Amino acid sequence: MSQVQHHSITPNAWPAIATAALRVAFGVIWAVGAALTWSPDFAVHYVGYLHNAAQGQPGWLAGWFQLWIGLVTPHAVLFTWLTRIVESVIALALLTGFARKTLYVVGVLFSLLVWSTAEGFGGPYTVGATNMGTAISYVLIFVALIGIDSRGGHNPYSVDYFIEKRWPGWCRFAEWGRHKVIEREPERLPWGVQIPAMLAVLVLVIFLIGGLHSTLHVKAASPVSAAAAVSPLSLASSTPDAKPRDARLPPLIGTGDSVDVHLEASDHTVSIANGVNYQAWTFGGTVPGPIIHVRQGQTVNVTFTNHGTMQHSIDFHAAITPPSLHYIEVQPGKSIKFSFVANVPGAFLYHCGTPPVLLHIANGMYGVIVVDPATPLPPAADSYVLVQSEWYTQQVSGHLMGPNFERMSEERPDEVVFNGSAFQYRDHPLIAEAGKRVRLYVVDAGPDLWSSFHVIGAIFDKVYTDADTAHAQSGVSTYSVGPGAGAIFDLVIPEPGKYPFVDHDMAHASLGAIGVLEVRGTDGAPPPEPEAVAPEPTPAAPAKDMAAESAALGPYHFDATKGAALYGANCAACHQPTGQGLPGAFPPLKGNAAVLDANPAKHIEVVLNGLHGENVGGVTYATPMPPFKDSLNDAEIADVINHERTSWGNQGKQITAGEVKALRTK
């Protein structure tokens, strides 16, 4: 008998529960949208949303958008509040089931007449985005609710139902069917069905709230945002490029009273990291452009030819000359000739000065002109030119990058480099000889960032900062060079060794602004490699018995809160709170094979004993990881490992303190 009743109730009860579930879920979505309208940014940019939406719309919709812009602009505050109130009321009514018939009609009209101002009547359609347009989607859901509700009669899962029991006339606002007085309780689904349905709605609410952060901060899926998310250093190969740029100062162009300089602008693909290329605008096909080396007092006869696809120009920081005559725009296929006297010695930038200058320089149009003083500087055994600059990129395809003007404007570089390519002089050091003078001509092409130039393990013998060599500074360890500026650095290093040179802004160094000066002995032999030396014995504090500590805690149970705290205190600085690691320094733990391996032995051994020089995913990480066997007991190590195995999407098998103890003892 009960089985017959169950089957007789369910078919008639389903429309009510289905429309209620859809309505509540839809109400949660509206509630999130309504909450966002109460943010200050929504009010500040309300008119801007309409102007932004009007761009790129078809001509037949132009009048529609202009109507709304003209209507809203003088009354932005009023429309902001109307939008907030209407969205909040619709959200509350959907959640509670209030005035459903009226609500659904208002929802359709509101979606079409108001939200369509920000989208047109469809879209936005774009590769990578799956939505067909919020306005149309919402209209279809409201229509679906109308269709389901019109067949379901009185809905016991709504506020309307309780109002109708007291005031039957309320049906005119709430029901689509005939307005009947509620004479008996409508059929309901058993609690065994209602409770899972409620839990499903609760899960939906949790996911929507959890996704609110990404709603506010993650860029919409599109080819542009996807391309901008790829860093050239994330694509770089662990195998160094075979040939770095030659950094040696070339000889003087000529020794007469005048010299001829021919520069050509052209579009070329250049290397910016190991295996990563960039679509650049160049002088002479390289970034930086050719090094021009002249003597103070010489007349420099410049011929500049534009073989590029757009206007370009040239600006010499070493010249005193009318820019209105000589630094003018040169059309593709055209040339300009002018002369200037190199009266001022030093290391100077030359660059394209065509607006936007930021884009032209950041896209590779810069180089160096070195003007030797009439009274020569002390002779140097080796002289190098280092041009520091930044790359701001987005992915074009594969390992090919192109410019990202938004990053340029915000000064958020993907790479900071010497002579155009990240880490090239770390992989291929510059050579010098112990006890002999080495001269570095350092120019900061920018276009945005200062350089704090430093050679680790050395002090500059002289720093020439201007045209008067009498102003040279001595005993300087670090010297700042601003964008567009240059300085000359002299070093005399007595002992062979490898001396890194860096931009001491360490964020810049980590993005590629680091190289090595390899100082060899007088016989030309490479510097010796370091030897391990046994430390002097010192009285040590009694070592903690970590196994005993763990045993005293009793049976092991994974404490997720403690695991997260231990990870934050001991691991997060290197491997990052997100488990992503640091490129080239510390490997990622998210998706790491050892972390996901069902056999935890490797994972436990690394945490216990540390690691150095491991190849992870094709990248060798030279930065050592310290051992934790003497600072964490078995239970603590197990908590850390289990945190790593269950965080950031990892689904590794959890371990026990006993497994740690077994490997510690072994």
Side-chain angles (χ1 to χ4, degrees), residues 530-554:
E531 296 181 3
V533 178
E536 292 291 331
T538 55
K544 291 184 178 180
D545 187 344
M546 292 301 177
E549 272 193 24
S550 188
L553 297 174

Side-chain angles (χ1 to χ4, degrees), residues 30 51 86 106 138 166 186 231 233 274 344 372 402 488 519 572 609 613:
W30 270 80
H51 283 272
V86 172
V106 170
Y138 281 19
R166 188 174 183 86
S231 162
L233 292 181
N274 296 338
V344 181
D372 285 348
I488 303 172
V519 178
N609 303 312

Side-chain angles (χ1 to χ4, degrees), residues 236-614:
S237 168
S238 58
T239 303
D241 284 343
K243 188 177 180 181
R245 180 187 172 99
D246 187 358
R248 290 189 176 275
L249 176 70
L252 290 166
I253 293 175
T255 58
D257 292 336
S258 67
V259 293
D260 296 329
V261 172
H262 299 270
L263 287 172
E264 297 180 351
S266 58
D267 301 345
H268 275 78
T269 298
V270 300
S271 174
I272 63 172
N274 296 338
V276 182
N277 295 322
Y278 183 93
Q279 294 177 329
W281 299 337
T282 76
F283 289 113
T286 63
V287 177
I291 299 168
I292 301 169
H293 188 189
V294 300
R295 190 187 68 247
Q296 183 181 10
Q298 285 182 317
T299 298
V300 182
N301 304 312
V302 178
T303 301
F304 171 57
T305 304
N306 184 3
H307 292 308
T309 55
M310 62 181 300
Q311 290 181 331
H312 292 301
S313 60
I314 193 161
D315 175 336
F316 282 95
H317 284 205
I320 302 174
T321 189
S324 57
L325 296 179
H326 299 151
Y327 298 167
I328 60 175
E329 315 300 336
V330 178
Q331 299 293 336
K334 302 295 183 181
S335 298
I336 186 175
K337 294 184 178 182
F338 63 91
S339 300
F340 68 90
V341 179
N343 283 321
V344 181
F348 299 96
L349 179 72
Y350 68 82
H351 64 88
C352 180
T354 298
V357 182
L358 171 62
L359 175 61
H360 284 251
I361 297 178
N363 222 32
M365 300 200 75
Y366 53 85
V368 169
I369 176 170
V370 173
V371 182
D372 285 348
T375 302
L377 297 176
D382 296 285
S383 296
Y384 296 102
V385 178
L386 298 173
V387 186
Q388 181 171 318
S389 60
E390 307 109 45
W391 289 112
Y392 303 84
T393 72
Q394 59 184 343
Q395 187 182 36
V396 175
S397 64
H399 286 62
L400 179 64
M401 313 300 287
N404 187 323
F405 192 73
E406 180 182 0
R407 286 182 179 272
M408 296 175 194
S409 302
E410 296 174 355
E411 300 185 4
R412 293 189 294 115
D414 294 292
E415 292 186 353
V416 182
V417 299
F418 291 122
N419 291 349
S421 186
F423 302 116
Q424 62 177 321
Y425 300 123
R426 179 196 64 187
D427 300 331
H428 300 278
L430 304 181
I431 306 301
E433 187 176 334
K436 293 190 176 180
R437 185 174 302 274
V438 58
R439 181 163 292 138
L440 305 176
Y441 296 85
V442 178
V443 171
D444 186 352
D448 293 326
L449 306 179
W450 282 68
S451 174
S452 184
F453 191 69
H454 173 68
V455 177
I456 299 174
I459 300 289
F460 297 120
D461 177 63
K462 298 289 183 186
V463 179
Y464 301 96
T465 59
D466 60 24
D468 191 342
T469 56
H471 293 168
Q473 299 182 35
S474 300
V476 178
S477 71
T478 305
Y479 190 83
S480 293
V481 182
I488 303 172
F489 297 83
D490 276 11
L491 290 156
V492 179
I493 301 177
E495 295 183 40
K498 294 181 179 180
Y499 296 78
F501 55 88
V502 299
D503 178 347
H504 213 284
D505 183 319
M506 286 300 140
H508 300 170
S510 68
L511 293 177
I514 184 171
V516 173
L517 188 64
E518 184 177 299
V519 178
R520 297 180 175 180
T522 54
D523 57 356
E529 295 297 325
E531 296 181 3
V533 178
E536 292 291 331
T538 55
K544 291 184 178 180
D545 187 344
M546 292 301 177
E549 272 193 24
S550 188
L553 297 174
Y556 173 76
H557 300 285
F558 173 41
D559 186 332
T561 301
K562 186 177 180 182
L566 286 167
Y567 177 85
N570 296 283
C571 314
C574 298
H575 294 288
Q576 300 297 287
T578 58
Q580 298 289 352
L582 291 174
F586 300 99
L589 299 176
K590 175 181 171 62
N592 188 302
V595 176
L596 298 177
D597 195 338
N599 182 352
K602 173 73 171 180
H603 197 177
I604 297 172
E605 287 174 356
V606 169
V607 178
L608 278 172
N609 303 312
L611 195 64
H612 181 234
E614 183 81 355

Side-chain angles (χ1 to χ4, degrees), residues 1-8:
M1 182 68 178
S2 61
Q3 186 177 4
V4 174
Q5 287 178 340
H6 175 76
H7 285 290
S8 65

